[in-house]
Amino acid sequence: MTTVYVTRLAAPIGPLLLTADADGALTSVSVPGQEGGRVVQDGWRQDPGPFRAAGEQLAAYFAGELKEFQLPLRADGTDFRQRVWAALDEVPYGATATYGEIAARIGASRPAVRAVGGAIGANPLLIVRPCHRVIGANGTMTGYAGGLERKVWLLTLEGALAGR
């Protein structure tokens, strides 16, 4: 049985549920009501220790003082999802990208945009892996597993909605 550490952190967008593996790599960041979000399981170890760096960096991010997370991450997913998630990591703070742009970055065909959207929606590391920075081709705020109001809040924090 693999060890899963869990903790909760207060945040301006609501409480965050964080999980980490036995090596201390962050495996998920979820919010209440999140589509596909993590739910605490029997046997998980409640321990804030593995989350000190994540807590400090998230606090600095929410204070507008941190633009790039430097945390060990581990998310299980297919090769396709891993490529999409790596492309998300390349979208800089304060910027946005469209689903089509993410598809192009990984060399996926135009028909694969829907699959790219599915992979983005399955991102287990909200905020830290910036899926909130992906918008519709026409600039609309499209789906976000954490809720559109949180997506708008995060993009406003980052200054990505200025001039819209």
Side-chain angles (χ1 to χ4, degrees):
M1 183 172 168
T2 58
T3 302
V4 176
Y5 293 99
V6 62
T7 197
R8 295 183 196 283
L9 296 176
I13 61 168
L16 303 176
L17 177 72
L18 282 67
T19 61
D21 64 15
D23 296 326
L26 196 61
T27 57
S28 73
V29 177
S30 304
V31 294
Q34 176 183 332
E35 183 180 323
R38 300 291 299 263
V39 178
V40 177
Q41 304 293 312
D42 289 338
W44 286 8
R45 294 181 57 183
Q46 186 84 6
D47 182 356
F51 303 99
R52 281 191 179 84
E56 291 169 3
Q57 289 185 37
L58 283 162
Y61 169 80
F62 287 124
E65 300 165 355
L66 181 82
K67 294 182 176 18
E68 189 174 320
F69 292 95
Q70 299 293 321
L71 297 167
L73 307 176
R74 184 165 296 122
D76 292 329
T78 64
D79 178 61
F80 180 80
R81 284 185 174 181
Q82 295 291 341
R83 290 185 2 239
V84 170
W85 296 340
L88 289 178
D89 291 338
E90 300 300 317
V91 181
Y93 183 97
T96 58
T98 66
Y99 292 91
E101 290 168 345
I102 297 295
R105 287 180 190 188
I106 67 166
S109 65
R110 184 76 184 133
V113 170
R114 188 175 296 271
V116 166
I120 292 169
N123 169 29
L125 291 156
L126 291 189
I127 305 159
V128 174
R129 177 161 283 141
C131 55
H132 60 276
R133 296 180 188 152
V134 182
I135 61 173
N138 62 358
T140 58
M141 295 296 116
T142 56
Y144 181 60
L148 287 179
E149 67 285 346
R150 287 185 180 106
K151 180 175 189 157
V152 169
W153 193 95
L154 294 166
L155 290 174
T156 300
L157 171 71
E158 295 183 7
L161 295 183
R164 285 190 187 265

